[in-house]
């Protein structure tokens, strides 16, 4: 009762919306004073008209909303929705299929801001609505400014070329490979007209590792960042564009050093400082790996310097399946532990001196020192996106301590989000950003409830010897459990929406591993970093490595219990609706927060109860090399590759919730497999007849729903309802395939594009414009084909490279076409 009275005294209102709605309608009509001269329209029977009832109900709802907003404003929770509105505007801007003129959001901002000012002293609902619209428009403008600022050149098409460039960063892999971030200085054989500025290149060949700043040269296969593996999945060109990465690839052989290439320009002082920091970071990484061998050393390097490629694939997968992969990222958890341990340790150390404790603000000194330590941690971590975000959140909380404000609060979290969205609004679409802030918001809201309940229960707890020690142990154990539970629940919807799977035993793994990380690993790693300049870091690094070995054992054990639960793709509505519910539940203070719980429950319920979306009959990757046939059993995907790309195929498996793979059967027609065209790219009449007869015979004998491959030249598949599909590697065989198949898929660029026979041609040029495509095959006799493409327009800057033609050094105006140009291809190739 005391808390209710306190709330009323602070807000000046009653019980909020729940109080108003609970009053009967007629009672409200009697209790409300009516202005003099007000008329109530009644029917002949004496009842109020429908218009009057609706108007009174609307007024009642408006007053309830005003009261609720007033109470939330009294608690300061309205401010928490400022980054929500900014992020929503940025997300809408990035999700638009076409780039709008910048005048559109600018005009929206001007108009909504004007109406917000005019309604400032009117109804709170109107004022808050117009303010939210103005913030959304501001988020759109921030997104547009960042897009214009980046101007990243993305490679238009895969190419093999000689690359000369300077090493900006490097990471060592668990199998001895090296991954370099290279600033491209020149390309040759062929020279790329529209060359990317920075590329990521991997080499597995034995070589002396290149130091940062050295120049290398080698033959490399470059490709643009991949698009969505399926329509509706993540487009990796988007983070590539905003991360400045224009291409990825690998060296065909060991690159060589080039000593004669001078530095381009003098460079600014901050560039030299950055280079020095990267050299220091690389030296720390190598020292950790030398001191702590194996996966534990790679794990330690990922926690300290952000180098996450040093662990083996098996350990990485075990951490992912057990729900412990978040530990490897320098996120809010790592930064908070590092800064918190430093803050508490220094504060306790200074408190040992009564003179210092009584004459100096020990808490503020410790907070300032922890802020410096967190900044140094950011520097040696390579200031990755997740690390910068974690530092901003931690820094705002430590600065709050300096100004005698609550350190852990939703307001500080909102400030951190505003800073990040102002600097890099593109992060709002990333899973890392969403999961990090969702987990932190959930934990802060849960901590607030925990603190209130603990304060009430402590007044009635009996006092006995050892009570403090027992209370400490209980709070530590319960806090670990609640932290893992809330963090897992808050991030679950984002894990399902982005990765389409979730670790079923993640809570168990986190409960077992997090005490080791908090009590052993992070304190030891922090001590090692402080003592490394003096050469006394080895014992602490070894201790951290031993703790991480235990964590790896936990991850491996939990991962062996299950391969994870796949959920498949949900509709585009799921993530926005579930996010809105989670935001209302965690950011609101009054009873309105239960509206968020209802919205979240509705999103989950609809996702579970609604019938799953129709599964395509045929899936084709964006490069045309991989084709898949989802089986009728609901578990398998049959492909034309015995070993499909794990990066691509695993996304298919999780998005379609089909864990099993059916590789192709092999034909015994080896002689036909050796058929090749002559130098004119044409087959002889006899070769045409041979290949055509072989394909027809294979279509008749093929098992329905599974590919049958002849060498590495072609594969065919027959569906139960009669559809015939052919994937062709040799362009000279396209005409023959058009004569015997209904759909012809080739990773090559066809010079003609459409089959004369009426079959549908799916070539590299079409897929380059549409991205990965799903085909829904209807009645075979009617040739009923529907398709769903990854791209419907190519107007955004991170998509425009798909319209570039290196032959003419220009951008085409065509958007993704229905099935390609009007020319036709015949069995003679012309």
């Amino acid at each position: 009762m005391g808390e209710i009275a306190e709330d009323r005294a602070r807000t000046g209102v009653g019980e909020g919306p729940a109080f108003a709605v609970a009053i009967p309608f007629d009672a409200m009509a009697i209790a409300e004073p009516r202005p003099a001269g007000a008329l109530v329209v009644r029917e002949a029977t004496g009842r109020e008209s429908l218009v009057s009832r609706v108007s009174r109900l609307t007024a009642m709802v408006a007053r309830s909303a005003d009261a609720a907003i007033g109470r939330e404003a009294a608690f300061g929770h309205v401010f928490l929705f400022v980054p929500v509105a900014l992020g929503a505007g940025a997300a809408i801007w990035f999700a638009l299929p076409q780039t709008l003129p910048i005048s559109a959001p600018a005009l929206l901002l001007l108009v909504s801001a004007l109406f917000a000012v005019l309604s400032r002293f009117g109804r709170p609902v109107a004022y808050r609505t117009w303010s939210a619209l103005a913030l959304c428009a501001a988020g759109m403008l921030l997104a547009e400014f960042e897009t214009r600022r980046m101007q990243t050149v993305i490679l238009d098409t895969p190419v093999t070329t000689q690359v000369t460039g300077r090493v900006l960063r490097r990471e060592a892999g668990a199998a001895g490979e090296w991954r370099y971030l290279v600033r491209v200085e020149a390309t040759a054989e062929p020279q790329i007209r529209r060359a990317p500025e920075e590329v990521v290149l991997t080499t597995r060949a034995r070589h002396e590792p290149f130091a940062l700043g050295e120049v290398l040269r080698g033959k490399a296969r470059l490709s643009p960042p991949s698009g969505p593996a399926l329509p509706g999945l993540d487009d990796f060109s988007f983070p590539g564009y905003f991360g400045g990465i224009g291409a990825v690839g690998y060296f065909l052989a060991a690159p060589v050093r080039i000593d004669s290439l001078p530095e381009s320009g003098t460079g600014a002082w901050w560039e030299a400082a950055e280079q020095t920091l990267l050299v220091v970071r690389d030296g720390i990484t190598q020292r950790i790996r030398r001191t702590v061998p194996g996966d534990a050393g790679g794990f330690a390097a990922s926690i300290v310097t952000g180098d996450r490629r040093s662990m083996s694939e098996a350990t990485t997968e075990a951490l992912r399946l057990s729900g412990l992969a978040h530990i490897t990222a320098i996120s809010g958890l790592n930064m908070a532990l590092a800064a918190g341990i430093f803050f508490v340790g220094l504060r306790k150390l200074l408190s040992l001196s009564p003179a210092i404790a009584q004459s100096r603000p020990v808490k503020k000194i410790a907070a300032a020192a922890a802020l410096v330590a967190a900044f140094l941690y950011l520097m040696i971590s390579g200031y990755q996106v997740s690390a910068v975000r974690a530092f901003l959140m931690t820094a705002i909380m430590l600065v709050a301590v300096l100004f005698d404000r609550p350190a852990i609060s939703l307001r500080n979290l909102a400030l951190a989000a505003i800073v990040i969205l102002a600097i890099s609004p593109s992060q709002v679409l990333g899973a890392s950003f969403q999961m990090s802030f969702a987990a932190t918001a959930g934990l802060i809201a849960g901590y607030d409830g925990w603190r209130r309940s603990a304060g009430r229960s402590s007044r009635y707890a009996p006092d006995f010897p050892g009570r403090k020690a027992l209370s400490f142990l209980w709070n530590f154990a319960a806090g670990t459990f609640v932290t893992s539970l809330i963090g897992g629940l808050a991030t679950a919807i984002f894990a399902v929406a982005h990765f389409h799977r979730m670790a079923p035993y993640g809570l168990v793994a986190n409960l077992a591993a997090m005490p080791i990380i908090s009590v052993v690993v992070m304190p030891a790693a922090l001590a090692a970093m402080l003592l490394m300049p003096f050469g006394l870091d080895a014992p602490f690094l070894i201790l951290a490595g031993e703790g991480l070995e235990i964590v790896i054992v936990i991850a491996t054990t939990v991962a062996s219990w299950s391969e994870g639960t796949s959920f498949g793709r949900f509709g585009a509505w799921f993530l926005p609706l579930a996010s809105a519910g989670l935001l209302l539940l965690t950011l609101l203070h009054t009873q309105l927060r239960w509206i968020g719980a209802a919205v979240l429950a509705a999103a989950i319920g609809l996702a579970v109860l609604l019938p799953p979306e129709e599964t395509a009959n045929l899936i084709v990757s964006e490069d045309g090399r991989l084709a898949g046939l989802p089986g009728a059993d609901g578990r398998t995907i049959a492909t034309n590759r015995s070993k499909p790309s794990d990066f691509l195929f695993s996304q298919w498996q999780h998005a379609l919730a089909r864990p099993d793979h059916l590789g192709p059967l092999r034909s015994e027609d080896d002689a036909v497999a050796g058929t090749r065209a002559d130098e004119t790219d044409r087959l002889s009449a006899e070769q045409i007849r041979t290949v055509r007869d072989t394909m027809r015979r294979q279509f008749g004998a093929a098992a329905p729903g599974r590919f049958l491959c002849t060498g590495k030249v072609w594969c065919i598949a027959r569906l139960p309802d009669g559809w015939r599909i052919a994937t062709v590697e040799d362009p000279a065989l396209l005409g023959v395939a058009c004569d015997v198949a209904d759909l012809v898929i080739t990773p090559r660029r066809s010079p003609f594009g459409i089959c004369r026979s009426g079959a549908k041609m799916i070539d590299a040029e079409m897929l380059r414009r549409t991205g990965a495509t799903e085909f829904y095959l209807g009645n075979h006799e009617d040739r009923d084909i529907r398709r769903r493409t990854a791209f419907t327009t190519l107007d955004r800057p991170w998509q425009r490279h798909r319209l570039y033609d290196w032959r003419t050094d220009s951008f085409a105006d065509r958007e993704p076409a229905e099935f390609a140009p009007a020319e036709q291809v015949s069995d003679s190739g012309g």
Side-chain angles (χ1 to χ4, degrees):
M1 291 297 293
E3 291 184 359
I4 295 176
E6 182 183 355
D7 289 346
R8 290 179 178 176
R10 291 180 59 186
T11 59
V13 297
E15 280 296 300
F19 178 80
V21 174
I23 298 177
F25 186 85
D26 292 337
M28 284 293 295
I30 296 172
E32 292 175 3
R34 291 185 182 138
L39 297 178
V40 178
V41 181
R42 295 180 180 272
E43 300 174 358
T45 59
R47 293 182 178 180
E48 288 183 85
S49 68
L50 179 62
V51 174
S52 178
R53 285 176 176 268
V54 170
S55 63
R56 281 207 301 127
L57 180 61
T58 303
M60 183 185 69
V61 172
R63 284 191 296 272
S64 298
D66 290 343
I69 292 177
R71 188 170 180 181
E72 292 290 347
F75 283 104
H77 282 230
V78 172
F79 174 76
L80 305 180
F81 289 88
V82 171
V84 174
L86 286 174
I92 292 172
W93 186 259
F94 288 128
L96 291 174
Q98 294 181 331
T99 301
L100 297 179
I102 194 172
S103 57
L107 180 61
L108 178 61
L109 175 61
L110 180 63
V111 172
S112 54
L114 177 62
F115 277 96
V117 171
L118 294 177
S119 61
R120 176 68 179 87
F121 299 103
R123 284 198 174 278
V125 172
Y127 171 66
R128 303 296 182 186
T129 301
W130 286 113
S131 299
L133 195 57
L135 289 170
C136 282
M140 294 180 182
L141 287 174
L142 290 172
E144 174 65 12
F145 292 153
E146 184 189 17
T147 303
R148 295 192 178 197
R149 184 177 74 247
M150 294 307 301
Q151 296 295 319
T152 301
V153 176
I154 299 181
L155 185 68
D156 55 286
T157 189
V159 63
T160 301
T161 183
Q162 182 174 271
V163 176
T164 302
R166 194 176 301 276
V167 177
L168 300 180
R169 298 192 184 189
R170 67 175 189 174
E171 291 180 338
E177 74 277 10
W178 282 87
R179 184 172 180 262
Y180 297 104
L181 174 62
V182 178
R183 185 176 64 217
V184 177
E185 304 286 353
T187 59
E189 301 176 3
Q191 179 180 357
I192 302 177
R193 294 181 178 179
R194 187 172 169 273
E197 297 178 4
E198 294 183 5
V199 300
V200 175
L201 291 170
T202 302
T203 177
R204 298 182 180 276
R206 290 182 176 272
H207 68 287
E208 183 67 25
F210 292 86
L212 302 185
E214 285 192 309
V215 179
L216 53 73
R217 176 180 294 167
K219 203 74 170 179
R221 178 67 175 177
L222 296 178
S223 300
S226 61
L230 284 177
L233 301 192
D234 292 336
D235 180 7
F236 293 95
S237 295
F238 182 83
Y241 178 87
F242 289 99
I245 307 299
V248 296
Y250 56 89
F251 285 108
L252 302 180
V256 297
R257 282 177 173 78
I258 302 297
D259 298 325
S260 58
L261 190 65
E263 281 278 3
S264 55
T266 57
W269 66 267
W270 58 81
E271 293 179 353
E274 179 186 28
Q275 189 68 18
T276 302
L277 283 171
L278 292 176
V279 171
V280 171
R281 171 180 178 261
D282 184 72
I284 294 173
T285 300
Q286 301 309 316
R287 183 175 181 86
I288 292 173
R289 295 196 66 196
R290 287 193 303 267
T291 307
V292 184
D295 285 341
F299 204 162
S302 71
I303 291 176
V304 176
T305 64
D307 185 349
R308 288 185 279 177
R309 295 184 60 87
S310 303
M311 287 184 292
S312 66
E313 183 62 32
T315 299
T316 302
E317 184 66 13
L319 290 169
R320 188 179 299 120
L321 292 176
S322 63
L324 295 176
H326 65 92
I327 301 175
T328 63
I330 298 180
S331 57
L333 169 67
N334 308 61
M335 190 70 71
L337 283 174
I341 293 170
F342 193 91
F343 171 76
V344 173
L346 183 59
R347 186 180 180 185
K348 293 292 185 183
L349 183 63
L350 294 176
S351 299
L352 294 178
S353 171
I356 296 178
Q358 294 176 9
S359 61
R360 296 288 185 270
V362 172
K363 184 178 179 181
K364 294 184 179 182
I365 294 175
L371 181 61
V372 175
F375 180 74
L376 294 176
Y377 188 15
L378 173 68
M379 293 294 100
I380 65 171
S381 69
Y383 38 90
Q384 303 169 22
V385 171
S386 60
V388 172
R389 181 173 61 249
F391 170 74
L392 286 174
M393 294 168 61
T394 305
I396 289 175
M397 293 178 182
L398 290 173
V399 170
V401 175
L402 295 177
F403 289 91
D404 297 317
R405 304 288 295 176
I408 302 176
S409 69
L410 289 172
R411 188 178 185 86
N412 291 342
L413 181 67
L415 288 172
I418 292 171
V419 173
I420 293 170
L421 290 172
I423 298 173
S424 182
S426 61
Q427 291 190 43
V428 73
L429 294 184
S432 176
F433 176 92
Q434 295 169 6
M435 296 175 76
S436 175
F437 277 97
T440 307
L443 290 172
I444 293 176
Y447 170 74
D448 185 58
W450 172 286
R451 183 177 56 183
R452 290 199 301 267
S453 63
R456 287 193 297 267
S457 61
S458 63
R459 291 194 292 251
Y460 307 102
D463 195 9
F464 55 88
R467 174 180 173 272
K468 290 186 177 180
L470 186 61
S471 176
F472 172 80
L473 293 176
W474 162 252
N475 288 334
F476 180 81
T480 302
F481 175 79
V482 172
T483 298
S484 301
L485 179 62
I486 293 177
L489 293 176
T491 58
I493 61 172
F494 302 100
V496 170
H498 287 281
F499 310 119
H500 313 289
R501 64 172 176 172
M502 190 170 59
Y505 301 104
L507 177 60
V508 177
N510 277 275
L511 287 176
M514 289 315 300
I516 300 173
I517 295 293
S518 304
V519 177
V520 178
V521 176
M522 289 305 297
L526 179 60
M529 292 302 99
L530 294 175
L531 296 175
M532 187 172 287
F534 308 101
L536 304 175
D537 54 304
F540 296 96
L541 286 178
I542 293 173
L543 177 60
E546 293 295 331
L548 291 173
E549 288 283 6
I550 299 174
V551 174
I552 292 173
V553 171
I554 294 171
T556 305
T557 302
V558 174
S560 65
W561 298 347
S562 172
E563 294 184 358
T565 304
S566 295
F567 291 88
R569 285 177 298 183
F570 293 144
W573 54 267
F574 172 74
L575 187 57
L577 185 62
S579 300
L582 184 63
L583 287 169
L584 293 175
L585 180 61
T586 56
L587 300 186
L588 292 177
H589 184 83
T590 66
Q591 297 299 320
L592 283 177
R593 65 181 182 272
W594 299 117
I595 297 178
V599 172
L600 184 58
I604 297 174
L606 289 173
V608 173
L609 297 177
L610 287 178
E613 63 177 16
E614 180 185 3
T615 302
N617 304 98
L618 171 66
I619 307 167
V620 182
S621 65
E622 68 172 352
D623 61 0
R625 297 186 180 278
L626 184 64
L629 303 172
D633 58 0
R635 289 189 54 85
T636 60
I637 304 177
T639 72
N640 61 332
R641 301 283 176 179
S642 299
K643 295 181 179 180
S645 164
D646 182 66
F647 172 76
L648 175 63
F649 188 69
S650 63
Q651 295 183 70
W652 285 13
Q653 289 177 303
H654 299 309
L656 300 177
R658 292 171 178 263
D660 299 332
H661 172 238
L662 282 179
L665 301 173
R666 292 295 171 183
S667 170
E668 298 179 356
D669 297 304
D670 294 332
V672 179
T675 300
R676 288 292 185 274
D678 57 21
E679 60 274 5
T680 63
D681 289 333
R682 291 178 179 269
L683 300 178
S684 65
E686 182 179 355
Q687 289 174 321
I688 290 174
R689 285 194 298 271
T690 301
V691 173
R692 184 191 297 120
D693 293 342
T694 302
M695 281 190 175
R696 284 174 175 168
R697 175 168 47 81
Q698 290 179 349
F699 271 120
R706 192 165 183 180
F707 280 97
L708 175 65
C709 293
T710 302
K712 296 182 179 180
V713 184
W714 76 74
C715 297
I716 60 99
R718 177 171 58 88
L719 299 186
D721 52 0
W723 288 95
R724 295 165 298 175
I725 302 165
T727 64
V728 180
E729 296 285 341
D730 191 340
L733 301 179
L734 290 177
V736 183
C738 283
D739 290 343
V740 297
D742 300 308
L743 289 95
V744 179
I745 306 166
T746 177
R748 310 289 182 177
R749 182 178 181 270
S750 170
F752 301 100
I754 285 184
C755 298
R756 185 176 62 185
S757 64
K760 299 300 183 182
M761 174 75 70
I762 307 163
D763 70 341
E765 186 63 21
M766 169 189 165
L767 291 170
R768 183 168 172 245
R769 307 280 179 92
T770 64
T773 306
E774 294 175 295
F775 292 90
Y776 302 85
L777 308 179
N779 187 280
H780 180 248
E781 297 298 328
D782 298 336
R783 297 294 180 98
D784 178 22
I785 301 178
R786 294 178 294 114
R787 69 171 185 169
R788 181 185 178 191
T789 61
F791 302 110
T792 55
T793 62
L794 297 175
D795 186 61
R796 308 313 300 270
W798 52 90
Q799 301 168 346
R800 289 283 295 170
H801 63 281
R802 294 175 175 270
L803 292 175
Y804 179 76
D805 187 355
W806 58 269
R807 300 169 185 82
T808 60
D809 192 20
S810 63
F811 288 89
D813 295 328
R814 288 185 302 171
E815 298 292 343
E818 178 57 31
F819 266 106
E823 291 89 351
Q824 298 175 340
V825 60
S826 67
D827 57 9
S828 64

